Amino acid sequence: MTTRTRALLGALILAAATVGTWWAWLGWDTGYATDPETGATTGPYQPWQVAGCVLTLALLAAVAGWWLRPWLVAPVMTVAFTGAWAAHAAATDASGLWAVGAVMVLVGMGVGTTVVSAGAHLVRRRRRGAPAG
């Protein structure tokens, strides 16, 4: 298998796993809760869902960064997750604030996946005795 084929296959699998992570933790939940005493509305996600999603994405970025280059991992995961999140949010939000959330998700995914995948890649290269880069 050539390096280019491996990278393409890895990117496709990574994108599917990233969207699958979004769906497994967040994609199915569309309900909001209103506190009867205060009238405050929260949701649609519970803190445990977000924490589970973040931890799963971090693990996915680490594994992908071990096998693939971080310059591939970070954009693939960022675009896949942000796209899935934004498409769902745009379809369910009449206020238009989904766009602000999408920018926040984009930045968070970009920074998080870059740091985690680069860290995993660096650890792998150091274990193999190869120079970082």
Side-chain angles (χ1 to χ4, degrees), residues 21-57:
T21 298
W22 168 79
W23 177 254
W25 288 105
L26 308 176
W28 52 270
D29 194 353
T30 58
Y32 287 82
T34 303
D35 186 320
E37 292 182 22
T38 64
T41 302
T42 60
Y45 313 125
Q46 297 298 318
W48 63 267
Q49 289 174 278
V50 175
C53 187
V54 168
L55 291 173
T56 304
L57 290 169

Side-chain angles (χ1 to χ4, degrees), residues 6-16 68 72 76:
R6 180 175 172 228
L8 179 61
L9 183 59
L12 291 172
I13 292 169
L14 181 58
L68 303 168
L72 178 64
V76 166

Side-chain angles (χ1 to χ4, degrees), residues 82-96:
T82 304
W85 187 92
H88 184 271
T92 59
D93 177 30
S95 72

Side-chain angles (χ1 to χ4, degrees), residues 70-132:
W71 59 261
L72 178 64
V73 173
V76 166
M77 287 187 71
T78 299
V79 169
F81 191 87
T82 304
W85 187 92
H88 184 271
T92 59
D93 177 30
S95 72
L97 287 176
W98 70 268
V100 175
V103 170
M104 293 169 59
V105 169
L106 180 76
V107 171
M109 281 295 296
V111 170
T113 55
T114 298
V115 168
V116 173
S117 65
H121 193 74
L122 182 63
V123 168
R124 180 177 188 221
R125 291 186 63 85
R126 287 197 175 161
R127 286 190 70 190
R128 289 181 27 203

